[in-house]
Amino acid sequence: MGSKIFVLNGPNLNLLGIREPRVYGSDTLDDVRRLAEERAAQLGLEIDFRQSNSEGELIDWIQEARGSAAGIVINAGAYTHTSVALLDALAAVELPVVEVHLSNLFRRETFRHHSYIAPVAAGLIAGFGARGYALAVEAMASIVGRAASGGSA
Ligand code: DQA
């Protein structure tokens, strides 16, 4: 069995497919999960895919990841732009983090240009819709693989 990766989704992402499709596309969160799982299976990773509208629940899951996951892929939704608590949780667990967003934050309102997650993330993927999750899983696979093989560049 491969390493387990948590893929965490924040508020309103349960509404994907019906929520502002011009911005977020027509894929549902289930479609996104399938895409991420397919890519993970190809890379020998296992995925635990979750969504919550509650900041506290996301924090509990980040804490749970310590000891049970090799890394965290996260789309924190609007909490990306507001939550010092998520930043603190991610910093505390000391796991590799890949930040993902469906939309290109930098083509949108300026309040979306700042991310509290970014300082603790290895990198950020934004603007590629659901496919971004497959890219994020791929990025995480290379990070986790690198760690497993002793950290060589
Ligand atoms: C989002 C971008 C955020 O600004 C927004 O609040 C979301 C979704 C994205 O995936 O593009 O809820 O994280």
Side-chain angles (χ1 to χ4, degrees), residues 10-77:
N12 300 308
L13 290 166
N14 54 314
L15 299 179
L16 272 188
I18 50 173
R19 173 194 185 201
E20 301 180 78
R22 280 212 321 255
V23 177
Y24 297 115
S26 54
D27 289 308
T28 66
L29 193 61
D30 248 5
D31 296 330
V32 172
R33 180 181 50 75
R34 270 192 294 274
L35 250 176
E37 282 174 355
E38 271 170 32
R39 192 70 190 109
Q42 290 162 356
L43 295 163
L45 292 177
E46 194 192 330
I47 275 193
D48 192 332
F49 192 96
R50 306 181 188 185
Q51 187 274 332
S52 178
N53 292 326
S54 149
E55 188 176 14
E57 190 163 36
L58 290 164
I59 290 166
D60 287 343
W61 289 343
I62 290 166
Q63 293 183 8
E64 182 190 331
R66 187 189 192 121
S68 55
I72 300 172
V73 171
I74 185 163
N75 181 353

Side-chain angles (χ1 to χ4, degrees), residues 9-13 16 19-20 23-24 74-81 99-105 108-109 111-114 125-127 129 133:
N9 295 278
N12 300 308
L13 290 166
L16 272 188
R19 173 194 185 201
E20 301 180 78
V23 177
Y24 297 115
I74 185 163
N75 181 353
Y79 293 143
T80 304
H81 318 300
E99 178 176 356
V100 63
H101 298 280
L102 297 144
S103 63
N104 181 349
L105 303 178
R108 303 186 62 194
E109 304 96 319
F111 67 82
R112 295 185 204 276
H113 296 183
H114 177 263
I125 293 164
Y133 281 69

